[in-house]
Amino acid sequence: MSAQQLPVVVIGAGPIGLAAAAHLTERGLEPLVLEAGPAAAAAVREWSHIRLFSTWGEVVDPVAEKLLAPTGWTRPDAGAHPCGGDWADGYLQPLADALGERVRYGATVTGVSRAGRDRVVDAGREDQPFAVHVRHADGREERIPARAVIDASGTWTTPGPAGGNGLPALGEKAAADRTTYRVPDVEDPAVRARHAGKRTAVIGSGASAFTALAALAGLAEAEDGAGTKALWVLRRGITGSTFGGGEADQLPARGALGLAARAAVEKGHADAVTGFRTEAIERAGDGRLVLVGEDGRRLDAVDEVIVLTGFRPDLSFLSEIRLQLDERLQAPVALAPLIDPNVHSCGTVYPHGHRELSHPEPGIHLVGMKSYGRAPTFLAMTGYEQVRSVAAALAGDLEAADRVELTLPETGVCGGAGLFDAPEPAGGGGCCAAPAAGTVRIGTAPDAAAAADREAPAGGCCGA
């Protein structure tokens, strides 16, 4: 079989992987989607309780929708905001079902290489198909030849640690019984019991941390949640940008997350510790946990720690592939300048496609969350544009592949650990300020708190 007759292997049956398969199918290319989980969108299902800040109209790929049309599928209200579970059950699983045998479950990719070539060998390299090594749920191993590989495996399985230097804090692994790396679903009785009436540290400063703070604040106001308290641990100081874009965000639900987090602090449900970089997590005499900073500060003991410091890509199974990644973000080098939070503190990420996602190894593309490496603020719309371009390029239609077919909303969000760690230029005017050490309580501002109450996403199955 010639390489052109082989399938394009897509790693991951999440929203971007399934969209890639739909675009490949429309282009007359045969996709083979390999999903480690037992169903489509396995990672999304793990945060099924969280409401997306994008609407249905923004999280359904147009080509995928055309593939679904013959099945009788009808898109929900385009202006509504689905929960992760809604997205998985109402769109992603039906899309995987429409793709049929092109999607295989319980198939974990353990390695990708060129057939008969390790990463050192040049001779005849580009003439060889890819060899994708797979371990199935029953333990069986398989090697699948592929004409190209699209890695849409995401970053969900590799969350960032609590340690301020990018490595796990001393004692972090030993504290695993009281440490989680996910936004809590406080409607789950077991999770609710872990936090109700308890003191929980939330480490992180992004949308996930906002959602966790809002959820804990909601629990504190419930009848069974008296005494619930959050300790918000930030590596930087609190400025006007700390809570995101607020009402200036063109994705209103994303802005509302920051407003809800601000309200949690203003109402006294959370105290903020600023300029704190966790060096160690120690066990107190009563079994609770004590966070120790690089500057020697020791915080009062907490019952639970929620670490929400972002995600990073798992590159281990790509060790035999010649990738060209930015040394800081672990994103493709041509994409990194467009998304680098050390440079781009506010505003939008420009739409991009196959050229920014290419590597020295022709035929392999990292897409979706994985393409962003360690950078934040990825949108599904961005991923759909990526795979549209990549599929067109693999089909040989470079004119379509190079065409931009997406306009992204302004983020209204300042971000980036590197930027926030730098002192603000003299005279101010910068987006972000230098970290200030201390524990602070933001003064109650009734108007702001009321605005947060008005804008916060509705409760129900999705909580915040």
Side-chain angles (χ1 to χ4, degrees), residues 276 282-283 290-293 295-300:
F276 190 93
E282 298 180 355
R283 186 83 64 169
V290 175
L291 302 183
V292 182
D295 58 2
R297 278 187 291 164
R298 301 172 65 87
L299 304 183
D300 291 340

Side-chain angles (χ1 to χ4, degrees), residues 149-192:
V149 175
I150 298 176
D151 184 356
S153 58
T155 57
W156 179 254
T157 59
T158 47
N165 62 358
L167 299 174
L170 300 178
E172 182 172 343
K173 294 182 179 179
D177 60 319
R178 290 177 179 256
T179 303
T180 62
Y181 300 84
R182 307 291 187 237
V183 174
D185 179 4
V186 295
E187 299 305 315
D188 181 307
V191 175
R192 196 175 187 87

Side-chain angles (χ1 to χ4, degrees), residues 168-328:
L170 300 178
E172 182 172 343
K173 294 182 179 179
D177 60 319
R178 290 177 179 256
T179 303
T180 62
Y181 300 84
R182 307 291 187 237
V183 174
D185 179 4
V186 295
E187 299 305 315
D188 181 307
V191 175
R192 196 175 187 87
R194 286 186 67 162
H195 298 285
K198 308 288 182 60
R199 178 177 164 87
T200 299
V202 178
I203 304 176
S205 59
S208 294
F210 294 164
T211 306
L213 290 169
L216 293 172
L219 179 57
E221 295 177 353
E223 291 184 4
D224 61 342
T228 302
K229 187 78 171 182
L231 181 67
W232 189 17
V233 181
L234 299 102
R235 296 170 182 171
R236 54 185 169 114
I238 288 183
T239 71
S241 65
T242 296
F243 298 97
E247 295 179 355
D249 198 319
Q250 289 187 19
L251 291 177
R254 178 172 56 191
L257 288 177
L259 295 174
R262 184 183 185 102
V265 178
E266 289 175 342
K267 292 177 180 179
H269 298 313
D271 291 331
V273 177
T274 60
F276 190 93
R277 291 183 168 276
T278 307
E279 182 175 77
I281 300 178
E282 298 180 355
R283 186 83 64 169
D286 60 1
R288 296 193 297 164
L289 303 178
V290 175
L291 302 183
V292 182
E294 292 179 351
D295 58 2
R297 278 187 291 164
R298 301 172 65 87
L299 304 183
D300 291 340
V302 297
D303 299 283
E304 299 284 338
V305 175
I306 301 173
V307 183
L308 300 170
T309 56
F311 297 87
R312 53 190 59 178
D314 176 9
L315 301 167
S316 60
F317 60 86
L318 300 176
S319 61
E320 296 307 314
I321 292 297
R322 297 176 178 180
L323 301 178
Q324 192 171 28
L325 300 174
D326 180 77
E327 61 185 10
R328 292 164 297 176

Side-chain angles (χ1 to χ4, degrees), residues 23 35 59 105 120 163 166 174 214 217 227 290 297 301 309 345 366 373 405 433 451-452 454:
H23 281 270
E35 167 58 47
V59 298
Y105 302 112
V120 177
V290 175
R297 278 187 291 164
T309 56
S345 60
L366 277 57
E405 297 185 1
R454 289 194 304 270

